[in-house]
Amino acid sequence: MSKKTYLVTGGAGFIGSHLVDRLARLGRVIVYDNLSSGRKEFIAAHLGKKDFKFVKADLLNRKVLQGAMRGVDTVFHMAANPEIRVGETNPHVDFSQGIMATYNVLEAMRGAGVNKIVFASSSTVFGEPAVRPTSEEYGPMIPISVYGASKLSCEGLISAYCHMYGMQAWVFRFANIIGRRGTHGILIDFIKKLENNKGFLKVLGNGRQRKSYLLVEDVADGILFAWRREKGEFSIFNLGTDDDILIADIARIVLKKWPEKKIRIRYTGGARGWRGDVPVMLLDPTKMKKLGWHVRYGSRQAVEKAMDDLLKERAA
Ligand code: NAD
């Protein structure tokens, strides 16, 4: 049987590159990335190999994207602006890198006759749900960030393309993802602050925010697990742990592992870290469990392991 080809948008990014490591064992891989937040070093192990191609280009370049789509079996669409806070000052980023880029991906797929897409969505599509843990069926969905609105719009576009043009989609709503090759998010934020250590660690909000954290290896395995098994036309899965952790506890774990001691925590105050932040979030992962998938690390263990891995990575 001939090898299949997988195109990973954002494949040089944090989550995308872990997916690429796994997909490279299954077939040919094309990484499509503009390196805006991704890094070539994350895919260095594959560069130059026969069944691997790196296209350094923007998803807004429809001509290049259309060319890259030829012969592809499944698109893993991971590219997006990863920083929710960008929307505080610039709503255009999530519109162009989220909605417009996803529309371009779908149109290029339609043009090339590619009909399978895996999409990286987010718990932020729910906004501030009244029910927690929040299942995939929860509604109404009222995002409170431009990022969340963009993800929900993308889910809608993908669903419509499935119905209108015979595509098949796997949509994953991620919790907060942490671990090796991280370039953003809470642990990186804390580490960067500690590297400029002024004797204290500034934590956004009052520390009482409570969220679910999933290790990046678990997210990559979970995506592939469900993609291989689920046969539905349009399937949505929550991808998170079934527990959560306080932001204050994350700060304490980070300080416990940080080599320098006597650092104090300073909270900026307020229920949210920033405008658009959802302070309490817990996804219901029952649907993934019913499929037979289980996370290896709960939120606290994921934070501990991710912090160890990031410190090792920085020391190397
Ligand atoms: P990341 O920034 O490491 O990865 C995004 C990648 O997409 C980067 O390599 C970047 O260079 C690339 N990219 C961005 N815009 C592009 C464009 N216009 N054209 C081509 N390439 C482009 O972030 P990540 O954390 O790995 O996120 C991957 C996906 O998962 C994103 O869609 C993100 O929204 C989603 N997600 C992440 C988290 C998390 O906690 N990290 C949570 C929920 C959802």
Side-chain angles (χ1 to χ4, degrees), residues 125-143:
V125 294
F126 292 115
E128 296 185 286
V131 180
R132 282 184 302 270
T134 312
S135 88
E136 290 85 351
E137 277 74 41
Y138 179 84
M141 296 159 85
I142 308 172

Side-chain angles (χ1 to χ4, degrees), residues 9-10 36-37 59 77-83 94 97-98 120 147 151:
T9 75
S36 54
S37 54
L59 288 172
H77 180 32
M78 300 290 124
N81 156 51
E83 293 279 7
D94 289 313
Q97 308 304 310
Y147 174 90
K151 289 293 184 194

Side-chain angles (χ1 to χ4, degrees), residues 9-17 32-39 42 55-61 77-84 96-98 101 119-124 147 151 172-178 181-185 214 216:
T9 75
F14 165 45
I15 299 170
S17 64
Y32 192 105
D33 200 303
N34 66 1
L35 297 184
S36 54
S37 54
R39 295 186 192 159
F42 292 168
V55 181
K56 182 181 176 302
D58 202 294
L59 288 172
L60 300 182
N61 186 334
H77 180 32
M78 300 290 124
N81 156 51
E83 293 279 7
I84 303 178
S96 60
Q97 308 304 310
F119 178 61
S121 189
S122 151
S123 64
T124 57
Y147 174 90
K151 289 293 184 194
F172 295 93
R173 294 179 181 152
F174 302 160
N176 297 289
I177 312 301
I178 48 175
R181 301 181 193 149
T183 52
H184 54 91
L214 184 65
V216 69

Side-chain angles (χ1 to χ4, degrees), residues 22-287:
R22 287 155 177 75
L23 287 170
R25 287 180 223 133
L26 304 179
R28 282 192 209 92
V29 175
I30 302 169
V31 165
Y32 192 105
D33 200 303
N34 66 1
L35 297 184
S36 54
S37 54
R39 295 186 192 159
K40 220 171 163 180
E41 70 206 56
F42 292 168
I43 50 167
H46 307 286
L47 290 169
K49 291 204 175 145
K50 187 166 76 57
D51 286 337
F52 184 82
K53 190 169 161 194
F54 173 44
V55 181
K56 182 181 176 302
D58 202 294
L59 288 172
L60 300 182
N61 186 334
R62 289 180 66 171
K63 200 162 162 234
V64 179
L65 182 59
Q66 191 63 73
M69 206 54 86
R70 228 173 293 125
V72 168
D73 176 81
T74 306
V75 174
F76 291 80
H77 180 32
M78 300 290 124
N81 156 51
E83 293 279 7
I84 303 178
R85 287 170 66 188
V86 171
E88 274 189 307
T89 48
N90 185 355
H92 186 73
V93 173
D94 289 313
F95 175 75
S96 60
Q97 308 304 310
I99 301 172
M100 205 55 218
T102 301
Y103 169 72
N104 284 354
V105 168
L106 291 166
E107 275 300 279
M109 287 175 65
R110 195 162 75 93
V114 178
N115 64 0
K116 286 184 260 179
I117 180 167
V118 172
F119 178 61
S121 189
S122 151
S123 64
T124 57
V125 294
F126 292 115
E128 296 185 286
V131 180
R132 282 184 302 270
T134 312
S135 88
E136 290 85 351
E137 277 74 41
Y138 179 84
M141 296 159 85
I142 308 172
I144 60 162
S145 62
V146 187
Y147 174 90
S150 164
K151 289 293 184 194
L152 187 55
S153 310
C154 293
E155 288 190 7
L157 271 177
I158 293 168
S159 154
Y161 270 66
C162 287
H163 185 78
M164 304 282 290
Y165 309 115
M167 290 188 186
Q168 187 183 5
W170 297 258
V171 168
F172 295 93
R173 294 179 181 152
F174 302 160
N176 297 289
I177 312 301
I178 48 175
R180 286 191 302 128
R181 301 181 193 149
T183 52
H184 54 91
I186 189 164
L187 295 182
I188 301 297
D189 183 40
F190 284 176
I191 288 172
K192 282 185 182 160
K193 282 175 179 160
L194 289 168
E195 281 171 346
N196 300 311
N197 174 21
K198 293 180 184 68
F200 66 91
L201 173 64
K202 187 168 101 176
V203 175
L204 303 179
N206 57 13
R208 306 307 299 163
Q209 307 98 301
R210 189 175 263 290
K211 307 182 190 195
S212 155
Y213 287 82
L214 184 65
L215 203 68
V216 69
E217 285 85 356
D218 268 342
V219 90
D221 290 340
I223 291 171
L224 296 182
F225 187 94
W227 164 66
R228 282 170 147 166
R229 285 163 182 79
E230 175 60 50
K231 305 290 177 214
E233 182 189 73
F234 179 80
S235 310
I236 301 180
F237 292 96
N238 286 341
L239 213 42
T241 59
D242 54 12
D243 62 357
D244 53 18
I245 179 167
L246 275 178
I247 300 302
D249 285 340
I250 298 182
R252 282 191 277 269
I253 292 172
V254 167
L255 287 186
K256 196 180 73 198
K257 292 185 183 286
W258 193 251
E260 288 153 48
K261 301 297 163 199
K262 293 196 180 152
I263 295 168
R264 292 161 54 114
I265 301 175
R266 270 193 207 161
Y267 296 100
T268 59
R272 300 178 202 281
W274 57 87
R275 194 176 272 266
D277 180 29
V278 178
V280 190
M281 167 48 67
L282 184 60
L283 294 170
D284 179 352
T286 305
K287 197 172 165 190

